[in-house]
Amino acid sequence: FSINCSTIGEFMFFTFKQFIFAGSLLCINLLFTTTLLSAKGTGLIFVSNEKGNTLSVLDSKTNQVINTIETCGRPRGMHFNLDKTLFYVACADDNQIAVYNVATQELVDRILDIEEPETFDLHPNGKFLYVSNEEDAMASFVDLESGEVVKEVEVGEEPEGVLVMPDGSKVFVTSETANMVHVIDTKTGEVLADIIVGTRPRRFALTPDGQELWVSAELAGSVNIIDTTALKVTEELIFRPQGFRKDEVTPVDVLITGDGETAFVALGRANHVAVVDVASKKVKDYLLVGKRAWGLTLTRDETLLYVANGLSDDLTIIDVQKEKAVTSVSVGFVPYAILIDD
């Protein structure tokens, strides 16, 4: 019996290389897994309370309020930045936008001299906010790096809803008093079209293919559907939940699921959320929620729908698959908007 030492050496060296390679793969996999875990977010839910001048912070695991932040005058619309490390709050009575750190819940900046901000949307490049200025009948373009208003565009009276197209080329703004949707070129600030819609238009939702823009018409009790290429209204959906008069059906917020199959419409004083089949444009169901439902937000996996109820000072949480409200949670005085960092 004999042993070839050179063969053993080669075997040991090869095995050692395999060990190092496997270890490297393990480190890479651990790093990748850690990154994925950290990308899941804090699990915090933020609610702006318009007349309470506060933000309610909830833990999404328990749906309980864990913090109340004294914020600015009349907080309304909210929006995350691109990587969800910050969120912006429209402070209508203080003419500013407050900026908060998501993880620490601390105020980190104030963007000043923004007249009566109500809601806004973020450009896909993350560099600009497009803001509706309610009392000035303006839409402002805010450079987030400098904190300056770089452009103001005249729109109809009482602008509210704002939505930027996914390619960043156009921004849509509702005018509640003029009953119009204004289409603005984001590069030039030119108004490309004024689209007449139902009485008192409020908020927007865009289908995933970008072809249909849904806009709620609060006092018409309807949603108008705009063809984003032709820039004209093609359809109108009417909502008539049983037991409510026509003037009690006041749609505000609208959401469309990521697969483009289902839309949710908050029906305001009718105290329901309508569930709509997007393809057929038919109402599938009306879900009972709190008083004056107006703000809507889905979790990232779209299993839960959160509804801000402005007159019962609470959130209704809906199981999307079962199409059923599962619980309600008290928050602050007149909740307006909801953000979920999941």
Side-chain angles (χ1 to χ4, degrees):
F1 179 78
S2 63
I3 298 174
N4 188 324
C5 293
S6 62
T7 302
I8 292 176
E10 289 173 2
F11 173 79
M12 291 178 65
F13 180 68
F14 180 72
T15 304
F16 181 72
K17 286 197 296 181
Q18 284 184 310
F19 177 77
I20 294 297
F21 180 69
S24 299
L25 281 180
L26 178 61
C27 290
I28 291 169
N29 285 335
L30 285 172
L31 180 61
F32 182 68
T33 302
T34 303
T35 302
L36 285 178
L37 288 173
S38 65
K40 289 182 179 178
T42 60
L44 297 175
I45 300 169
F46 301 94
V47 183
S48 59
N49 301 304
E50 182 179 0
K51 292 192 177 179
N53 298 334
T54 62
L55 303 176
S56 296
V57 185
L58 291 78
D59 182 338
S60 62
K61 293 180 181 178
T62 63
N63 287 315
Q64 296 301 307
V65 175
I66 59 172
N67 193 14
T68 299
I69 302 170
E70 298 290 334
T71 187
C72 49
R74 203 179 177 194
R76 300 169 93 180
M78 300 193 293
H79 207 296
F80 286 116
N81 67 346
L82 277 187
D83 63 7
K84 298 180 80 171
T85 57
L86 304 172
F87 68 96
Y88 307 100
V89 181
C91 307
D93 285 354
D94 288 340
N95 297 329
Q96 62 182 253
I97 293 172
V99 186
Y100 285 86
N101 180 290
V102 171
T104 66
Q105 306 165 42
E106 294 177 347
L107 178 71
V108 295
D109 200 3
R110 296 183 188 274
I111 303 173
L112 304 177
D113 302 320
I114 310 294
E115 292 296 324
E116 286 280 345
E118 182 160 1
T119 64
F120 36 69
D121 200 6
L122 184 69
H123 191 282
N125 65 17
K127 296 180 180 179
F128 297 94
L129 274 183
Y130 299 93
V131 185
S132 57
N133 308 112
E134 184 180 29
E135 297 301 320
D136 282 5
M138 291 280 188
S140 297
F141 295 14
V142 179
D143 183 323
L144 290 173
E145 184 175 349
S146 67
E148 299 293 325
V149 175
V150 294
K151 194 177 294 293
E152 292 182 321
V153 180
E154 287 189 26
V155 294
E157 294 293 326
E158 294 189 66
E160 180 182 348
V162 182
L163 184 141
V164 182
M165 289 295 286
D167 64 0
S169 63
K170 294 188 287 291
V171 58
F172 294 83
V173 181
T174 63
S175 168
E176 297 178 32
T177 301
N179 303 327
M180 286 184 178
V181 170
H182 308 282
V183 188
I184 303 169
D185 186 301
T186 56
K187 288 185 178 179
T188 65
E190 177 188 0
V191 177
L192 302 174
D194 296 312
I195 305 168
I196 297 175
V197 291
T199 309
R200 196 173 172 84
R202 297 292 301 270
R203 310 273 181 87
F204 294 114
L206 187 69
T207 53
D209 62 8
Q211 297 301 304
E212 294 180 358
L213 182 67
W214 292 38
V215 53
S216 59
E218 185 178 17
L219 298 186
S222 67
V223 162
N224 293 134
I225 298 174
I226 295 171
D227 182 313
T228 57
T229 302
L231 298 179
K232 66 179 183 180
V233 174
T234 57
E235 294 182 74
E236 182 182 30
L237 310 183
I238 305 293
F239 302 96
R240 294 293 180 264
Q242 188 174 3
F244 292 90
R245 298 175 180 173
K246 180 180 177 181
D247 62 359
E248 294 175 319
V249 182
T250 54
V252 181
D253 215 355
V254 188
L255 282 182
I256 297 175
T257 56
D259 59 13
E261 293 182 0
T262 304
F264 299 99
V265 183
L267 297 182
R269 287 178 288 173
N271 306 335
H272 281 75
V273 170
V275 184
V276 183
D277 179 79
V278 172
S280 67
K281 308 297 189 291
K282 301 295 184 184
V283 176
K284 295 166 56 181
D285 204 355
Y286 292 106
L287 309 179
L288 180 64
V289 293
K291 295 181 180 178
R292 199 179 182 190
W294 54 6
L296 300 174
T297 302
L298 282 163
T299 53
R300 191 198 321 222
D301 62 9
E302 299 190 342
T303 59
L304 296 175
L305 175 69
Y306 285 73
V307 185
N309 304 306
L311 291 184
S312 53
D313 301 334
D314 61 4
L315 305 181
T316 300
I317 304 172
I318 293 171
D319 184 311
V320 171
Q321 185 175 9
K322 295 179 180 178
E323 295 186 0
K324 181 180 180 181
V326 293
T327 191
S328 64
V329 183
S330 295
V331 286
F333 187 27
V334 187
Y336 183 96
I338 310 164
L339 291 179
I340 305 176
D341 180 35
D342 60 347

